[in-house]
Amino acid sequence: MITLSIDGKKIQAPPGRTLLELAREHAIWIPTLCYHEALKPYSGCRLCVVELATPRGSRLVAACTYPCEPGAVVRTDSEMVRQSRQVAAELLLARAGHVPFIQELAASLGVHNTPYTLPSDDCILCARCVRACREIVGVGAISMAERGPGREVVPPFHISSADCIECTTCVLACPTGAITLQNIIDRDRTLHTWPSQYARRACRLCDYHADSLLQNEG
Ligand code: SF4
Ligand code: FES
Protein backbone atom coordinates (compact mmCIF):
# COMPACT_ATOMS: atom_id res chain seq x y z
CA MET A 1 0.00 0.00 0.00
CA ILE A 2 1.01 3.60 -0.66
CA THR A 3 0.53 6.28 2.00
CA LEU A 4 -0.18 9.86 0.97
CA SER A 5 -1.90 12.92 2.37
CA ILE A 6 -5.09 14.43 0.97
CA ASP A 7 -6.34 17.61 2.62
CA GLY A 8 -4.21 16.87 5.66
CA LYS A 9 -5.48 13.31 6.13
CA LYS A 10 -3.12 10.37 5.82
CA ILE A 11 -4.69 7.88 3.42
CA GLN A 12 -3.53 4.52 2.15
CA ALA A 13 -3.98 3.56 -1.49
CA PRO A 14 -3.36 0.36 -3.39
CA PRO A 15 -0.86 0.79 -6.24
CA GLY A 16 -2.40 1.95 -9.51
CA ARG A 17 -5.12 4.21 -8.05
CA THR A 18 -5.49 7.71 -9.46
CA LEU A 19 -5.97 10.63 -7.09
CA LEU A 20 -9.58 10.96 -8.23
CA GLU A 21 -10.38 7.29 -7.58
CA LEU A 22 -8.84 7.48 -4.12
CA ALA A 23 -10.61 10.74 -3.30
CA ARG A 24 -13.96 9.25 -4.30
CA GLU A 25 -13.35 6.16 -2.19
CA HIS A 26 -12.91 8.50 0.78
CA ALA A 27 -15.88 10.75 -0.04
CA ILE A 28 -13.66 13.71 -0.96
CA TRP A 29 -15.45 15.74 -3.62
CA ILE A 30 -13.56 16.65 -6.79
CA PRO A 31 -15.59 18.00 -9.74
CA THR A 32 -15.26 16.23 -13.08
CA LEU A 33 -16.64 16.59 -16.57
CA CYS A 34 -14.65 14.70 -19.18
CA TYR A 35 -14.15 11.80 -16.75
CA HIS A 36 -16.46 8.78 -16.99
CA GLU A 37 -16.03 5.60 -14.97
CA ALA A 38 -16.45 3.42 -18.05
CA LEU A 39 -13.81 5.27 -20.08
CA LYS A 40 -10.08 5.79 -19.93
CA PRO A 41 -9.17 9.14 -18.32
CA TYR A 42 -8.77 11.92 -20.87
CA SER A 43 -7.62 14.96 -18.91
CA GLY A 44 -9.44 17.40 -21.15
CA CYS A 45 -11.63 19.64 -19.01
CA ARG A 46 -9.20 20.49 -16.15
CA LEU A 47 -12.07 20.72 -13.68
CA CYS A 48 -10.58 17.99 -11.52
CA VAL A 49 -7.29 19.77 -10.84
CA VAL A 50 -5.78 19.41 -7.38
CA GLU A 51 -2.69 20.99 -5.85
CA LEU A 52 0.34 18.75 -5.47
CA ALA A 53 3.16 19.91 -3.19
CA THR A 54 6.61 19.21 -4.64
CA PRO A 55 10.12 20.15 -3.43
CA ARG A 56 10.11 22.89 -6.07
CA GLY A 57 6.76 24.32 -5.08
CA SER A 58 3.14 23.48 -5.71
CA ARG A 59 1.66 22.57 -9.05
CA LEU A 60 -1.73 21.64 -10.39
CA VAL A 61 -2.35 18.13 -11.68
CA ALA A 62 -5.46 16.51 -13.14
CA ALA A 63 -6.74 14.14 -10.44
CA CYS A 64 -8.43 11.89 -13.01
CA THR A 65 -5.10 10.88 -14.54
CA TYR A 66 -2.51 11.53 -11.84
CA PRO A 67 -1.45 8.38 -9.96
CA CYS A 68 -1.20 8.11 -6.20
CA GLU A 69 2.45 8.42 -5.22
CA PRO A 70 4.09 7.53 -1.88
CA GLY A 71 4.39 10.59 0.37
CA ALA A 72 2.39 12.86 -1.98
CA VAL A 73 0.80 15.88 -0.31
CA VAL A 74 -2.40 16.83 -2.12
CA ARG A 75 -4.91 19.62 -1.53
CA THR A 76 -8.27 19.47 -3.26
CA ASP A 77 -9.70 22.83 -2.17
CA SER A 78 -6.85 25.35 -1.98
CA GLU A 79 -7.03 28.87 -3.39
CA MET A 80 -4.87 27.77 -6.33
CA VAL A 81 -7.31 24.93 -7.06
CA ARG A 82 -10.40 27.10 -6.69
CA GLN A 83 -9.02 29.75 -9.06
CA SER A 84 -8.12 27.22 -11.72
CA ARG A 85 -11.50 25.48 -11.56
CA GLN A 86 -13.23 28.84 -11.64
CA VAL A 87 -11.53 29.77 -14.93
CA ALA A 88 -12.42 26.36 -16.39
CA ALA A 89 -16.05 26.86 -15.33
CA GLU A 90 -16.12 30.39 -16.77
CA LEU A 91 -14.91 29.06 -20.12
CA LEU A 92 -17.58 26.36 -20.03
CA LEU A 93 -20.23 28.96 -19.29
CA ALA A 94 -18.98 31.09 -22.18
CA ARG A 95 -19.44 28.19 -24.58
CA ALA A 96 -22.45 26.36 -23.22
CA GLY A 97 -23.99 28.61 -20.57
CA HIS A 98 -27.43 27.84 -22.01
CA VAL A 99 -27.09 24.16 -21.06
CA PRO A 100 -28.64 23.47 -17.62
CA PHE A 101 -26.05 20.83 -16.76
CA ILE A 102 -23.23 23.33 -17.35
CA GLN A 103 -25.05 26.01 -15.34
CA GLU A 104 -25.40 23.59 -12.41
CA LEU A 105 -21.80 22.44 -12.65
CA ALA A 106 -20.51 26.02 -12.69
CA ALA A 107 -22.81 26.98 -9.81
CA SER A 108 -21.42 24.09 -7.76
CA LEU A 109 -18.06 25.87 -8.07
CA GLY A 110 -19.55 29.23 -7.17
CA VAL A 111 -19.45 30.48 -10.76
CA HIS A 112 -22.58 32.16 -12.13
CA ASN A 113 -21.18 34.50 -14.78
CA THR A 114 -18.34 34.57 -17.23
CA PRO A 115 -16.05 37.34 -18.43
CA TYR A 116 -15.32 35.38 -21.62
CA THR A 117 -17.14 35.35 -24.95
CA LEU A 118 -17.09 32.26 -27.13
CA PRO A 119 -19.29 30.99 -29.96
CA SER A 120 -22.26 29.28 -28.31
CA ASP A 121 -22.38 25.51 -28.66
CA ASP A 122 -24.00 22.58 -26.83
CA CYS A 123 -20.81 20.57 -27.30
CA ILE A 124 -18.09 21.30 -24.77
CA LEU A 125 -15.56 19.02 -26.53
CA CYS A 126 -15.18 16.57 -23.68
CA ALA A 127 -14.72 13.71 -26.19
CA ARG A 128 -16.83 11.34 -24.09
CA CYS A 129 -18.85 10.40 -27.20
CA VAL A 130 -15.74 9.70 -29.25
CA ARG A 131 -14.10 7.67 -26.49
CA ALA A 132 -17.30 5.73 -25.74
CA CYS A 133 -17.66 4.80 -29.40
CA ARG A 134 -14.08 3.59 -29.57
CA GLU A 135 -13.60 2.07 -26.11
CA ILE A 136 -17.05 0.63 -25.30
CA VAL A 137 -18.52 -0.17 -28.71
CA GLY A 138 -15.15 -0.82 -30.33
CA VAL A 139 -16.11 1.04 -33.48
CA GLY A 140 -14.57 4.51 -33.73
CA ALA A 141 -17.26 5.95 -36.01
CA ILE A 142 -16.53 9.52 -34.89
CA SER A 143 -13.47 11.48 -33.88
CA MET A 144 -12.27 14.88 -32.73
CA ALA A 145 -11.03 17.04 -35.59
CA GLU A 146 -9.20 20.36 -35.94
CA ARG A 147 -7.61 22.42 -33.19
CA GLY A 148 -8.47 25.59 -31.33
CA PRO A 149 -11.79 27.30 -32.04
CA GLY A 150 -12.57 24.97 -34.97
CA ARG A 151 -12.32 21.77 -32.90
CA GLU A 152 -15.36 19.54 -33.29
CA VAL A 153 -16.73 16.00 -33.22
CA VAL A 154 -17.06 14.63 -36.73
CA PRO A 155 -17.65 11.45 -38.70
CA PRO A 156 -15.12 10.57 -41.41
CA PHE A 157 -14.95 13.27 -44.10
CA HIS A 158 -17.64 15.25 -42.23
CA ILE A 159 -20.33 13.32 -44.13
CA SER A 160 -21.50 10.01 -42.71
CA SER A 161 -19.98 7.06 -40.99
CA ALA A 162 -20.09 3.66 -42.62
CA ASP A 163 -19.04 2.21 -39.26
CA CYS A 164 -21.81 3.76 -37.13
CA ILE A 165 -24.30 1.07 -36.03
CA GLU A 166 -26.67 3.59 -34.38
CA CYS A 167 -26.19 2.03 -30.96
CA THR A 168 -26.63 5.49 -29.33
CA THR A 169 -23.81 4.93 -26.86
CA CYS A 170 -22.59 8.43 -27.73
CA VAL A 171 -25.98 9.81 -26.65
CA LEU A 172 -25.63 8.18 -23.24
CA ALA A 173 -22.03 9.35 -22.86
CA CYS A 174 -22.71 13.00 -23.75
CA PRO A 175 -23.10 15.11 -20.59
CA THR A 176 -24.72 18.12 -22.26
CA GLY A 177 -27.31 16.60 -24.60
CA ALA A 178 -25.40 17.80 -27.67
CA ILE A 179 -26.25 14.44 -29.27
CA THR A 180 -29.83 13.27 -28.83
CA LEU A 181 -31.56 9.97 -29.44
CA GLN A 182 -34.00 11.74 -31.73
CA ASN A 183 -31.15 13.09 -33.88
CA ILE A 184 -29.98 9.55 -34.48
CA ILE A 185 -33.45 8.04 -35.05
CA ASP A 186 -34.19 10.80 -37.56
CA ARG A 187 -30.77 10.52 -39.16
CA ASP A 188 -30.79 14.22 -38.73
CA ARG A 189 -27.95 16.08 -40.34
CA THR A 190 -28.00 18.91 -37.85
CA LEU A 191 -24.97 19.70 -35.75
CA HIS A 192 -23.26 16.86 -33.88
CA THR A 193 -25.01 14.00 -35.60
CA TRP A 194 -23.57 11.64 -38.08
CA PRO A 195 -25.91 9.74 -40.40
CA SER A 196 -24.72 6.16 -40.59
CA GLN A 197 -24.74 3.89 -43.61
CA TYR A 198 -26.12 1.06 -41.51
CA ALA A 199 -29.06 -0.72 -43.11
CA ARG A 200 -31.93 -0.72 -40.63
CA ARG A 201 -34.25 -3.69 -40.28
CA ALA A 202 -37.73 -3.86 -38.80
CA CYS A 203 -38.10 -5.02 -35.20
CA ARG A 204 -39.00 -8.75 -35.12
CA LEU A 205 -41.45 -8.22 -32.26
CA CYS A 206 -43.41 -5.10 -33.18
CA ASP A 207 -42.52 -4.67 -36.86
CA TYR A 208 -41.44 -1.12 -36.12
CA HIS A 209 -39.13 0.20 -38.79
CA ALA A 210 -37.83 3.70 -38.22
CA ASP A 211 -37.14 4.41 -41.91
CA SER A 212 -40.56 3.27 -43.17
CA LEU A 213 -42.30 5.11 -40.35
CA LEU A 214 -40.54 8.32 -41.29
CA GLN A 215 -41.44 7.80 -44.96
CA ASN A 216 -45.09 7.22 -44.05
CA GLU A 217 -45.13 10.35 -41.92
CA GLY A 218 -43.54 12.33 -44.75
S1 SF4 B 1 -20.99 15.83 -28.37
FE1 SF4 B 1 -21.28 15.63 -26.12
S2 SF4 B 1 -19.94 13.89 -25.51
FE2 SF4 B 1 -19.27 14.56 -27.58
S3 SF4 B 1 -17.60 16.00 -27.18
FE3 SF4 B 1 -19.49 17.21 -27.38
S4 SF4 B 1 -20.27 17.45 -25.25
FE4 SF4 B 1 -18.73 15.79 -25.23
S1 FES C 1 -12.27 15.19 -15.26
FE1 FES C 1 -10.11 15.32 -15.09
S2 FES C 1 -9.55 16.66 -16.70
FE2 FES C 1 -11.70 16.39 -16.98
Side-chain angles (χ1 to χ4, degrees):
M1 295 286 262
I2 292 166
T3 303
L4 65 158
S5 158
I6 300 186
D7 296 338
K9 280 186 241 160
K10 291 267 183 264
I11 299 180
Q12 290 208 313
R17 284 279 193 287
T18 63
L19 292 176
L20 178 65
E21 288 167 339
L22 187 66
R24 288 194 167 177
E25 284 166 15
H26 290 267
I28 298 168
W29 181 72
I30 295 176
T32 57
L33 181 53
C34 65
Y35 176 80
H36 190 291
E37 291 82 354
L39 303 172
K40 290 181 193 152
Y42 180 63
S43 195
C45 72
R46 305 295 294 174
L47 273 187
C48 70
V49 289
V50 293
E51 183 177 341
L52 180 71
T54 76
R56 282 177 287 172
S58 290
R59 68 187 174 103
L60 293 172
V61 296
C64 66
T65 49
Y66 203 86
C68 292
E69 292 173 335
V73 177
V74 176
R75 293 179 67 197
T76 67
D77 195 27
S78 65
E79 186 57 28
M80 190 184 195
V81 167
R82 281 196 294 273
Q83 280 182 11
S84 176
R85 289 180 188 161
Q86 183 179 338
V87 172
E90 286 170 348
L91 289 168
L92 285 169
L93 273 186
R95 182 175 173 96
H98 58 288
V99 175
F101 170 76
I102 295 297
Q103 291 166 3
E104 285 163 25
L105 184 64
S108 73
L109 297 167
V111 177
H112 303 277
N113 296 299
T114 179
Y116 304 109
T117 305
L118 291 173
S120 178
D121 202 313
D122 291 354
C123 174
I124 39 85
L125 302 172
C126 66
R128 278 170 47 160
C129 54
V130 170
R131 291 180 289 141
C133 185
R134 188 174 55 230
E135 295 174 26
I136 297 175
V137 190
V139 169
I142 47 177
S143 57
M144 306 297 294
E146 312 298 338
R147 293 192 177 277
R151 192 154 173 79
E152 59 180 336
V153 177
V154 291
F157 308 109
H158 291 67
I159 304 171
S160 63
S161 179
D163 294 331
C164 175
I165 55 169
E166 300 186 351
C167 66
T168 71
T169 303
C170 53
V171 174
L172 299 175
C174 179
T176 63
I179 317 168
T180 67
L181 184 59
Q182 198 61 43
N183 289 151
I184 290 181
I185 290 172
D186 292 351
R187 289 186 165 169
D188 185 358
R189 276 182 179 267
T190 54
L191 205 58
H192 306 309
T193 59
W194 27 86
S196 80
Q197 294 171 13
Y198 183 73
R200 287 175 176 161
R201 290 188 298 181
C203 169
R204 277 175 297 177
L205 297 179
C206 69
D207 208 30
Y208 171 81
H209 195 303
D211 287 340
S212 58
L213 184 69
L214 288 172
Q215 281 159 14
N216 291 342
E217 284 176 349

PDB file of all heavy atoms in Angstrom, residues 96-119:
ATOM      1  N   ALA A  96     -21.187  27.109 -23.327  1.00  0.00           N
ATOM      2  CA  ALA A  96     -22.449  26.361 -23.223  1.00  0.00           C
ATOM      3  C   ALA A  96     -23.249  26.797 -21.998  1.00  0.00           C
ATOM      4  O   ALA A  96     -23.841  25.965 -21.315  1.00  0.00           O
ATOM      5  CB  ALA A  96     -22.153  24.860 -23.161  1.00  0.00           C
ATOM      6  N   GLY A  97     -23.269  28.087 -21.727  1.00  0.00           N
ATOM      7  CA  GLY A  97     -23.985  28.607 -20.569  1.00  0.00           C
ATOM      8  C   GLY A  97     -25.488  28.426 -20.651  1.00  0.00           C
ATOM      9  O   GLY A  97     -26.190  28.579 -19.658  1.00  0.00           O
ATOM     10  N   HIS A  98     -25.999  28.087 -21.843  1.00  0.00           N
ATOM     11  CA  HIS A  98     -27.434  27.844 -22.008  1.00  0.00           C
ATOM     12  C   HIS A  98     -27.810  26.412 -21.617  1.00  0.00           C
ATOM     13  O   HIS A  98     -28.992  26.077 -21.568  1.00  0.00           O
ATOM     14  CB  HIS A  98     -27.824  28.084 -23.479  1.00  0.00           C
ATOM     15  CG  HIS A  98     -27.050  27.221 -24.431  1.00  0.00           C
ATOM     16  ND1 HIS A  98     -25.715  27.422 -24.720  1.00  0.00           N
ATOM     17  CD2 HIS A  98     -27.418  26.115 -25.134  1.00  0.00           C
ATOM     18  CE1 HIS A  98     -25.305  26.498 -25.571  1.00  0.00           C
ATOM     19  NE2 HIS A  98     -26.309  25.684 -25.828  1.00  0.00           N
ATOM     20  N   VAL A  99     -26.817  25.569 -21.386  1.00  0.00           N
ATOM     21  CA  VAL A  99     -27.092  24.158 -21.064  1.00  0.00           C
ATOM     22  C   VAL A  99     -27.257  24.024 -19.547  1.00  0.00           C
ATOM     23  O   VAL A  99     -26.338  24.349 -18.796  1.00  0.00           O
ATOM     24  CB  VAL A  99     -25.933  23.257 -21.559  1.00  0.00           C
ATOM     25  CG1 VAL A  99     -26.140  21.817 -21.122  1.00  0.00           C
ATOM     26  CG2 VAL A  99     -25.778  23.363 -23.071  1.00  0.00           C
ATOM     27  N   PRO A 100     -28.420  23.545 -19.072  1.00  0.00           N
ATOM     28  CA  PRO A 100     -28.643  23.472 -17.622  1.00  0.00           C
ATOM     29  C   PRO A 100     -27.562  22.707 -16.862  1.00  0.00           C
ATOM     30  O   PRO A 100     -27.149  23.124 -15.783  1.00  0.00           O
ATOM     31  CB  PRO A 100     -30.006  22.769 -17.512  1.00  0.00           C
ATOM     32  CG  PRO A 100     -30.686  23.083 -18.803  1.00  0.00           C
ATOM     33  CD  PRO A 100     -29.600  23.156 -19.842  1.00  0.00           C
ATOM     34  N   PHE A 101     -27.084  21.617 -17.443  1.00  0.00           N
ATOM     35  CA  PHE A 101     -26.048  20.825 -16.757  1.00  0.00           C
ATOM     36  C   PHE A 101     -24.792  21.671 -16.508  1.00  0.00           C
ATOM     37  O   PHE A 101     -24.186  21.607 -15.442  1.00  0.00           O
ATOM     38  CB  PHE A 101     -25.702  19.591 -17.596  1.00  0.00           C
ATOM     39  CG  PHE A 101     -24.503  18.847 -17.110  1.00  0.00           C
ATOM     40  CD1 PHE A 101     -24.580  18.031 -15.990  1.00  0.00           C
ATOM     41  CD2 PHE A 101     -23.274  18.989 -17.749  1.00  0.00           C
ATOM     42  CE1 PHE A 101     -23.454  17.356 -15.529  1.00  0.00           C
ATOM     43  CE2 PHE A 101     -22.151  18.327 -17.287  1.00  0.00           C
ATOM     44  CZ  PHE A 101     -22.238  17.503 -16.181  1.00  0.00           C
ATOM     45  N   ILE A 102     -24.422  22.479 -17.490  1.00  0.00           N
ATOM     46  CA  ILE A 102     -23.232  23.329 -17.349  1.00  0.00           C
ATOM     47  C   ILE A 102     -23.498  24.435 -16.325  1.00  0.00           C
ATOM     48  O   ILE A 102     -22.624  24.763 -15.512  1.00  0.00           O
ATOM     49  CB  ILE A 102     -22.833  23.923 -18.719  1.00  0.00           C
ATOM     50  CG1 ILE A 102     -22.411  22.793 -19.676  1.00  0.00           C
ATOM     51  CG2 ILE A 102     -21.714  24.958 -18.584  1.00  0.00           C
ATOM     52  CD1 ILE A 102     -21.184  22.017 -19.245  1.00  0.00           C
ATOM     53  N   GLN A 103     -24.700  24.986 -16.343  1.00  0.00           N
ATOM     54  CA  GLN A 103     -25.051  26.014 -15.343  1.00  0.00           C
ATOM     55  C   GLN A 103     -24.925  25.444 -13.931  1.00  0.00           C
ATOM     56  O   GLN A 103     -24.366  26.068 -13.033  1.00  0.00           O
ATOM     57  CB  GLN A 103     -26.489  26.494 -15.552  1.00  0.00           C
ATOM     58  CG  GLN A 103     -26.692  27.300 -16.818  1.00  0.00           C
ATOM     59  CD  GLN A 103     -28.179  27.459 -17.148  1.00  0.00           C
ATOM     60  OE1 GLN A 103     -29.053  27.023 -16.408  1.00  0.00           O
ATOM     61  NE2 GLN A 103     -28.446  28.075 -18.287  1.00  0.00           N
ATOM     62  N   GLU A 104     -25.443  24.212 -13.750  1.00  0.00           N
ATOM     63  CA  GLU A 104     -25.402  23.588 -12.412  1.00  0.00           C
ATOM     64  C   GLU A 104     -23.964  23.270 -11.989  1.00  0.00           C
ATOM     65  O   GLU A 104     -23.584  23.482 -10.839  1.00  0.00           O
ATOM     66  CB  GLU A 104     -26.223  22.298 -12.413  1.00  0.00           C
ATOM     67  CG  GLU A 104     -27.716  22.550 -12.412  1.00  0.00           C
ATOM     68  CD  GLU A 104     -28.509  21.322 -12.827  1.00  0.00           C
ATOM     69  OE1 GLU A 104     -28.005  20.194 -12.653  1.00  0.00           O
ATOM     70  OE2 GLU A 104     -29.629  21.502 -13.341  1.00  0.00           O
ATOM     71  N   LEU A 105     -23.195  22.780 -12.956  1.00  0.00           N
ATOM     72  CA  LEU A 105     -21.804  22.443 -12.648  1.00  0.00           C
ATOM     73  C   LEU A 105     -21.033  23.697 -12.243  1.00  0.00           C
ATOM     74  O   LEU A 105     -20.305  23.708 -11.240  1.00  0.00           O
ATOM     75  CB  LEU A 105     -21.158  21.794 -13.879  1.00  0.00           C
ATOM     76  CG  LEU A 105     -19.737  21.287 -13.733  1.00  0.00           C
ATOM     77  CD1 LEU A 105     -19.659  20.150 -12.722  1.00  0.00           C
ATOM     78  CD2 LEU A 105     -19.195  20.824 -15.076  1.00  0.00           C
ATOM     79  N   ALA A 106     -21.201  24.768 -13.006  1.00  0.00           N
ATOM     80  CA  ALA A 106     -20.506  26.023 -12.694  1.00  0.00           C
ATOM     81  C   ALA A 106     -20.971  26.557 -11.332  1.00  0.00           C
ATOM     82  O   ALA A 106     -20.155  27.002 -10.517  1.00  0.00           O
ATOM     83  CB  ALA A 106     -20.756  27.048 -13.801  1.00  0.00           C
ATOM     84  N   ALA A 107     -22.274  26.476 -11.090  1.00  0.00           N
ATOM     85  CA  ALA A 107     -22.807  26.977  -9.813  1.00  0.00           C
ATOM     86  C   ALA A 107     -22.227  26.196  -8.637  1.00  0.00           C
ATOM     87  O   ALA A 107     -21.983  26.752  -7.566  1.00  0.00           O
ATOM     88  CB  ALA A 107     -24.335  26.892  -9.817  1.00  0.00           C
ATOM     89  N   SER A 108     -21.997  24.900  -8.839  1.00  0.00           N
ATOM     90  CA  SER A 108     -21.422  24.090  -7.755  1.00  0.00           C
ATOM     91  C   SER A 108     -20.013  24.555  -7.411  1.00  0.00           C
ATOM     92  O   SER A 108     -19.487  24.246  -6.349  1.00  0.00           O
ATOM     93  CB  SER A 108     -21.418  22.598  -8.130  1.00  0.00           C
ATOM     94  OG  SER A 108     -20.418  22.339  -9.096  1.00  0.00           O
ATOM     95  N   LEU A 109     -19.405  25.312  -8.329  1.00  0.00           N
ATOM     96  CA  LEU A 109     -18.063  25.866  -8.075  1.00  0.00           C
ATOM     97  C   LEU A 109     -18.155  27.354  -7.744  1.00  0.00           C
ATOM     98  O   LEU A 109     -17.149  28.067  -7.749  1.00  0.00           O
ATOM     99  CB  LEU A 109     -17.193  25.657  -9.322  1.00  0.00           C
ATOM    100  CG  LEU A 109     -16.954  24.192  -9.686  1.00  0.00           C
ATOM    101  CD1 LEU A 109     -16.384  24.058 -11.075  1.00  0.00           C
ATOM    102  CD2 LEU A 109     -16.014  23.550  -8.677  1.00  0.00           C
ATOM    103  N   GLY A 110     -19.363  27.823  -7.528  1.00  0.00           N
ATOM    104  CA  GLY A 110     -19.550  29.231  -7.168  1.00  0.00           C
ATOM    105  C   GLY A 110     -19.464  30.175  -8.342  1.00  0.00           C
ATOM    106  O   GLY A 110     -19.276  31.376  -8.171  1.00  0.00           O
ATOM    107  N   VAL A 111     -19.583  29.650  -9.560  1.00  0.00           N
ATOM    108  CA  VAL A 111     -19.450  30.484 -10.759  1.00  0.00           C
ATOM    109  C   VAL A 111     -20.827  30.645 -11.407  1.00  0.00           C
ATOM    110  O   VAL A 111     -21.472  29.655 -11.764  1.00  0.00           O
ATOM    111  CB  VAL A 111     -18.459  29.844 -11.764  1.00  0.00           C
ATOM    112  CG1 VAL A 111     -18.372  30.670 -13.044  1.00  0.00           C
ATOM    113  CG2 VAL A 111     -17.089  29.701 -11.127  1.00  0.00           C
ATOM    114  N   HIS A 112     -21.254  31.887 -11.558  1.00  0.00           N
ATOM    115  CA  HIS A 112     -22.579  32.157 -12.127  1.00  0.00           C
ATOM    116  C   HIS A 112     -22.513  33.025 -13.367  1.00  0.00           C
ATOM    117  O   HIS A 112     -23.494  33.166 -14.084  1.00  0.00           O
ATOM    118  CB  HIS A 112     -23.477  32.813 -11.073  1.00  0.00           C
ATOM    119  CG  HIS A 112     -23.616  31.978  -9.832  1.00  0.00           C
ATOM    120  ND1 HIS A 112     -24.516  30.935  -9.732  1.00  0.00           N
ATOM    121  CD2 HIS A 112     -22.924  31.991  -8.667  1.00  0.00           C
ATOM    122  CE1 HIS A 112     -24.383  30.357  -8.548  1.00  0.00           C
ATOM    123  NE2 HIS A 112     -23.427  30.984  -7.885  1.00  0.00           N
ATOM    124  N   ASN A 113     -21.359  33.634 -13.610  1.00  0.00           N
ATOM    125  CA  ASN A 113     -21.184  34.503 -14.780  1.00  0.00           C
ATOM    126  C   ASN A 113     -19.817  34.235 -15.390  1.00  0.00           C
ATOM    127  O   ASN A 113     -18.966  33.610 -14.765  1.00  0.00           O
ATOM    128  CB  ASN A 113     -21.256  35.979 -14.361  1.00  0.00           C
ATOM    129  CG  ASN A 113     -22.628  36.309 -13.821  1.00  0.00           C
ATOM    130  OD1 ASN A 113     -23.618  36.188 -14.523  1.00  0.00           O
ATOM    131  ND2 ASN A 113     -22.678  36.697 -12.554  1.00  0.00           N
ATOM    132  N   THR A 114     -19.640  34.743 -16.589  1.00  0.00           N
ATOM    133  CA  THR A 114     -18.337  34.569 -17.229  1.00  0.00           C
ATOM    134  C   THR A 114     -17.857  35.868 -17.860  1.00  0.00           C
ATOM    135  O   THR A 114     -18.669  36.592 -18.454  1.00  0.00           O
ATOM    136  CB  THR A 114     -18.413  33.452 -18.305  1.00  0.00           C
ATOM    137  OG1 THR A 114     -17.134  33.340 -18.924  1.00  0.00           O
ATOM    138  CG2 THR A 114     -19.465  33.737 -19.362  1.00  0.00           C
ATOM    139  N   PRO A 115     -16.573  36.154 -17.754  1.00  0.00           N
ATOM    140  CA  PRO A 115     -16.049  37.336 -18.428  1.00  0.00           C
ATOM    141  C   PRO A 115     -15.678  37.041 -19.889  1.00  0.00           C
ATOM    142  O   PRO A 115     -15.299  37.948 -20.624  1.00  0.00           O
ATOM    143  CB  PRO A 115     -14.784  37.661 -17.627  1.00  0.00           C
ATOM    144  CG  PRO A 115     -14.337  36.346 -17.089  1.00  0.00           C
ATOM    145  CD  PRO A 115     -15.562  35.494 -16.908  1.00  0.00           C
ATOM    146  N   TYR A 116     -15.779  35.774 -20.285  1.00  0.00           N
ATOM    147  CA  TYR A 116     -15.323  35.379 -21.624  1.00  0.00           C
ATOM    148  C   TYR A 116     -16.492  35.344 -22.607  1.00  0.00           C
ATOM    149  O   TYR A 116     -17.648  35.162 -22.224  1.00  0.00           O
ATOM    150  CB  TYR A 116     -14.659  33.997 -21.576  1.00  0.00           C
ATOM    151  CG  TYR A 116     -13.526  33.919 -20.589  1.00  0.00           C
ATOM    152  CD1 TYR A 116     -13.658  33.187 -19.412  1.00  0.00           C
ATOM    153  CD2 TYR A 116     -12.337  34.598 -20.810  1.00  0.00           C
ATOM    154  CE1 TYR A 116     -12.626  33.131 -18.482  1.00  0.00           C
ATOM    155  CE2 TYR A 116     -11.305  34.548 -19.886  1.00  0.00           C
ATOM    156  CZ  TYR A 116     -11.451  33.811 -18.729  1.00  0.00           C
ATOM    157  OH  TYR A 116     -10.437  33.765 -17.818  1.00  0.00           O
ATOM    158  N   THR A 117     -16.150  35.475 -23.881  1.00  0.00           N
ATOM    159  CA  THR A 117     -17.142  35.349 -24.946  1.00  0.00           C
ATOM    160  C   THR A 117     -16.641  34.313 -25.946  1.00  0.00           C
ATOM    161  O   THR A 117     -15.521  34.434 -26.456  1.00  0.00           O
ATOM    162  CB  THR A 117     -17.332  36.696 -25.689  1.00  0.00           C
ATOM    163  OG1 THR A 117     -17.662  37.691 -24.728  1.00  0.00           O
ATOM    164  CG2 THR A 117     -18.441  36.593 -26.719  1.00  0.00           C
ATOM    165  N   LEU A 118     -17.452  33.307 -26.166  1.00  0.00           N
ATOM    166  CA  LEU A 118     -17.092  32.261 -27.131  1.00  0.00           C
ATOM    167  C   LEU A 118     -18.321  31.955 -27.981  1.00  0.00           C
ATOM    168  O   LEU A 118     -19.452  32.199 -27.539  1.00  0.00           O
ATOM    169  CB  LEU A 118     -16.681  30.972 -26.396  1.00  0.00           C
ATOM    170  CG  LEU A 118     -15.358  30.999 -25.614  1.00  0.00           C
ATOM    171  CD1 LEU A 118     -15.200  29.710 -24.821  1.00  0.00           C
ATOM    172  CD2 LEU A 118     -14.188  31.177 -26.576  1.00  0.00           C
ATOM    173  N   PRO A 119     -18.120  31.411 -29.179  1.00  0.00           N
ATOM    174  CA  PRO A 119     -19.288  30.986 -29.957  1.00  0.00           C
ATOM    175  C   PRO A 119     -20.092  29.959 -29.170  1.00  0.00           C
ATOM    176  O   PRO A 119     -19.524  29.029 -28.595  1.00  0.00           O
ATOM    177  CB  PRO A 119     -18.670  30.351 -31.213  1.00  0.00           C
ATOM    178  CG  PRO A 119     -17.279  30.875 -31.263  1.00  0.00           C
ATOM    179  CD  PRO A 119     -16.858  31.151 -29.859  1.00  0.00           C
TER     180      PRO A 119
END
